[in-house]
Amino acid sequence: MLVTNSYLTGFVLGIETLSMGLFTLQNDLKQIEYQDSLCIIRGYLSYSLCAVENYSFLAEALYRYMMVVYPNYLFWQSARTQLLFLCSTWIFALIFPVPFIFTGGIIYNVDNQICQLPFQ
């Protein structure tokens, strides 16, 4: 279940990155240098999906650690625990970039024509 989540997250992140690249190419070809209305949403999705992917790898690593070090504790092997890991991963990763939206932390980079955090 955890590996499937990692594959699904990687696939969705790949689609989002491809769509952002196509949008950037389209703006380059049309020489558009202003921010569109969906810029903040694309930036939010980019950061939250990247966080989901990283946290899904963390959940896999924790699960494997528990399987090797504590093989007799069946609580860590149950589907309910794995589902709890997955739900907490998605909830935390979707909430984590919300402050960037409300504080104006996601800005439009005119040189690269993408939305990004100021410290990148």
Side-chain angles (χ1 to χ4, degrees), residues 93-113:
L94 291 175
I95 291 174
F96 136 78
V98 169
F100 297 127
I101 293 175
F102 296 117
T103 60
I106 300 175
I107 58 171
Y108 183 71
N109 186 343
V110 177
D111 296 329
N112 296 328
Q113 295 185 355

Side-chain angles (χ1 to χ4, degrees), residues 21-68:
L22 291 175
F23 177 78
T24 302
L25 177 65
Q26 181 182 7
N27 279 355
D28 282 345
L29 294 176
K30 293 180 181 179
Q31 296 180 347
I32 298 173
E33 294 186 3
Y34 55 86
Q35 179 176 350
D36 68 326
S37 60
L38 297 177
C39 175
I40 294 175
I41 293 175
R42 278 193 304 275
Y44 169 78
L45 282 176
S46 175
Y47 288 107
S48 63
L49 287 173
C50 185
V52 168
E53 185 174 36
N54 289 334
Y55 292 136
S56 69
F57 292 148
L58 175 67
E60 277 185 63
L62 286 174
Y63 175 73
R64 290 176 184 176
Y65 173 77
M66 290 298 176
M67 292 293 297
V68 170

